[in-house]
Amino acid sequence: MAAPLRVSIVGSGNWGSAISKIIGRNVQQLSKFDKTVRMWVFEEEVQGRKLTEIINTDHENVKYLPGHKLPENVVAVPDISQAVEGANLLVFVVPHQFIRGLCAKIKGHAATGALGISLIKGVDEGPDGLKLISDIIREQLDIPVSVLMGANIANEVAEEKFCETTIGSKDREAGILFKELMQTPNFRITVVEEADTVEICGALKNIVAVGAGFCDGLDCGDNTKAAVIRLGLMEMIAFARIFCRGAVSSATFLESCGVADLITTCYGGRNRRVSEAFVRTRKSIEELEKEMLNGQKLQGPQTAAEVHRILQNRNMVSKFPLFTAIYEICYSGKPVSGLMTCLQSHPEHI
């Protein structure tokens, strides 16, 4: 009989801690998985105690997911190489700007034949333009990497409120394995093969959510926000069809990773919330991150900047007016009212 598969979670923020609740419980019930789940935690002090000590003693991430008990078989490990030592399944859930440095420390420590899955919502730049986070992990660690994206606000997942999500995996067997690891009656997973499209949806929806937050800050109302969501979805589809490898079907945008995640993020996510405060307080994004996110990073503005550079390199900025307007408001001093000008002049087709 094959040895049980060892699972390591790379990351322990709000979303990482929420998914650890699911994984920790599931491995206790399924014989194919080792009963201990190691979770890499960036060590910091909280109220005079190490965060890893708090998690391993009190079984709660009091900083990033307060009020939720983690399963006792989820073990916090501060050293990344120790956290992934001998792991067969690696679950990546960290801010995308840290992934390269972490992969360099992980290399050589996971088990031979390990599989990865990325829950990271963001993109990077490469020599040919777009670089997916899963590509970075795949290239640096030489392992197959699936992705999980969906309408999954972490606190609601931790509260076990029903939601759906999407796994994109070019290797269907790997996708099904990760579905077994993470699905519950209240966390329903669909597996699709268009992994690149699934991942692009997870990154780009955060840009649109920034625009939705600007709408709320301007008190534009739900009709205007609906326009931002629709036009944002149009630009997401257009971007995917230009930059994704292989076919991009409209059906994937109807999965949880597409329109559902977009709607949820534009009404309930941190990108929307901080962007609304950006308008109302006139403080910088950096100031608001520190004040409102308890040490976590905002993905939307940074993704907007990365996408803008990719579009500039391809001379395609004019084809994505909403993405461009959001970038310019965040970084180039364009007034927030410029969002309305963009909506009023946005072409019907792109």
Side-chain angles (χ1 to χ4, degrees):
M1 184 175 176
L5 300 170
R6 302 177 72 180
V7 182
S8 292
I9 301 171
V10 181
S12 59
N14 189 230
W15 186 209
S17 297
I19 207 68
S20 80
K21 280 190 68 176
I22 290 176
I23 292 174
R25 287 178 184 170
N26 279 1
V27 300
Q28 290 175 320
Q29 299 166 14
L30 299 167
S31 61
K32 69 170 58 178
F33 302 110
D34 190 274
K35 302 305 180 208
T36 299
V37 175
R38 285 168 294 167
M39 179 171 71
W40 174 68
V41 174
F42 177 77
E43 191 69 281
E44 51 191 312
E45 283 211 353
V46 180
Q47 298 173 346
R49 297 171 68 194
K50 290 182 177 179
L51 185 55
T52 52
E53 177 202 334
I54 295 170
I55 293 172
N56 291 332
T57 304
D58 302 341
H59 307 293
E60 180 182 353
N61 188 333
V62 294
K63 181 163 185 181
Y64 297 115
L65 193 68
H68 293 279
K69 287 293 182 183
L70 305 183
E72 292 187 10
N73 61 321
V74 174
V75 178
V77 182
D79 182 282
I80 183 64
S81 60
Q82 291 178 13
V84 303
E85 192 67 47
N88 306 103
L89 302 177
L90 297 167
V91 180
F92 293 90
V93 54
V94 292
H96 73 276
Q97 55 266 42
F98 302 133
I99 194 63
R100 290 181 188 274
L102 286 171
C103 282
K105 295 175 181 176
I106 290 170
K107 191 172 179 65
H109 291 280
T112 302
L115 301 173
I117 188 165
S118 172
L119 281 61
I120 300 169
K121 295 180 175 179
V123 292
D124 204 347
E125 299 168 74
D128 301 317
L130 181 74
K131 190 80 166 178
L132 297 174
I133 302 305
S134 62
D135 286 337
I136 296 171
I137 299 169
R138 190 178 296 112
E139 290 169 9
Q140 292 208 349
L141 301 183
D142 194 25
I143 62 172
V145 183
S146 305
V147 296
L148 182 147
M149 306 283 156
N152 309 141
I153 291 176
N155 283 54
E156 294 184 12
V157 173
E159 290 162 8
E160 299 178 41
K161 294 179 177 178
F162 179 84
C163 68
E164 300 175 312
T165 197
T166 310
I167 285 178
S169 182
K170 294 166 187 176
D171 178 346
R172 187 157 184 85
E173 285 188 15
I176 295 298
L177 179 61
F178 281 114
K179 178 177 178 175
E180 284 185 75
L181 178 66
M182 288 186 272
Q183 179 160 271
T184 73
N186 285 323
F187 192 65
R188 293 264 310 186
I189 298 174
T190 301
V191 180
V192 302
E193 291 185 8
E194 283 186 23
D196 291 358
T197 307
V198 172
E199 188 168 1
I200 282 287
C201 284
L204 298 184
K205 59 94 185 183
N206 282 330
I207 303 176
V208 185
V210 173
F214 292 160
C215 268
D216 291 340
L218 292 168
D219 293 317
C220 292
D222 287 336
N223 292 338
T224 308
K225 190 191 278 192
V228 169
I229 293 171
R230 187 187 76 82
L231 295 171
L233 181 60
M234 246 169 61
E235 294 195 12
M236 286 169 60
I237 294 170
F239 190 94
R241 287 182 171 157
I242 292 168
F243 289 99
C244 283
R245 296 158 296 199
V248 174
S249 65
S250 299
T252 303
F253 290 90
L254 298 177
E255 297 289 350
S256 182
C257 63
V259 66
D261 195 10
L262 179 61
I263 292 168
T264 297
T265 309
C266 287
Y267 277 91
R270 72 181 72 151
N271 287 283
R272 186 220 63 79
R273 185 163 49 94
V274 173
S275 299
E276 177 183 1
F278 175 81
V279 179
R280 296 195 187 280
T281 67
R282 301 189 180 184
K283 294 180 180 179
S284 70
I285 295 289
E286 292 75 16
E287 286 178 285
L288 292 168
E289 269 187 335
K290 290 174 184 173
E291 288 180 16
M292 300 175 66
L293 297 185
N294 196 27
Q296 297 187 97
K297 289 293 182 183
L298 202 63
Q299 298 298 301
Q302 184 161 347
T303 302
E306 287 155 352
V307 164
H308 187 72
R309 287 191 290 270
I310 290 165
L311 294 174
Q312 276 185 318
N313 290 339
R314 294 283 291 269
N315 294 316
M316 288 183 171
V317 169
S318 63
K319 295 182 180 295
F320 294 86
L322 182 63
F323 288 174
T324 300
I326 291 167
Y327 162 77
E328 290 176 343
I329 292 166
C330 287
Y331 293 106
S332 299
K334 183 172 185 167
V336 184
S337 58
L339 181 70
M340 298 309 301
T341 306
C342 169
L343 298 180
Q344 290 160 354
S345 60
H346 199 287
E348 292 183 20
H349 303 286
I350 56 175

